[in-house]
């Protein structure tokens, strides 16, 4: 329970994390490194749109 004050807060985090984390970890087997990076970049763009965050360069 590192960093969590209660079991309930840890459980809430894990429940949402288990739904969100696969979005950022596309399958890597049979995919080239370039395609994998492109897919991850696309997924992060989608995430930023969904959460209404903008990236400043």
């Amino acid at each position: 329970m590192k960093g969590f004050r209660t079991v309930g807060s840890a459980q809430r985090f894990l429940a949402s994390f288990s739904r969100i984390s696969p979005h950022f970890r596309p399958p890597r087997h049979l995919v080239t490194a370039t395609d994998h990076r492109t897919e991850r970049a696309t997924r992060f763009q989608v995430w930023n749109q969904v959460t209404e965050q903008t990236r400043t360069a």
Side-chain angles (χ1 to χ4, degrees):
M1 286 199 21
K2 293 182 179 181
F4 295 102
R5 297 189 188 275
T6 66
V7 174
S9 64
Q11 187 61 39
R12 280 191 303 277
F13 170 77
L14 291 173
S16 60
F17 181 77
S18 66
R19 294 182 194 127
I20 295 169
S21 65
H23 180 75
F24 296 104
R25 291 183 285 144
R28 297 180 78 172
H29 64 288
L30 303 177
V31 179
T32 65
T34 303
D35 291 341
H36 179 73
R37 285 188 212 104
T38 303
E39 181 64 26
R40 283 190 62 211
T42 302
R43 290 180 182 210
F44 272 100
Q45 287 176 350
V46 170
W47 177 256
N48 287 338
Q49 290 173 357
V50 168
T51 59
E52 298 179 356
Q53 295 176 357
T54 57
R55 220 165 95 169
T56 57

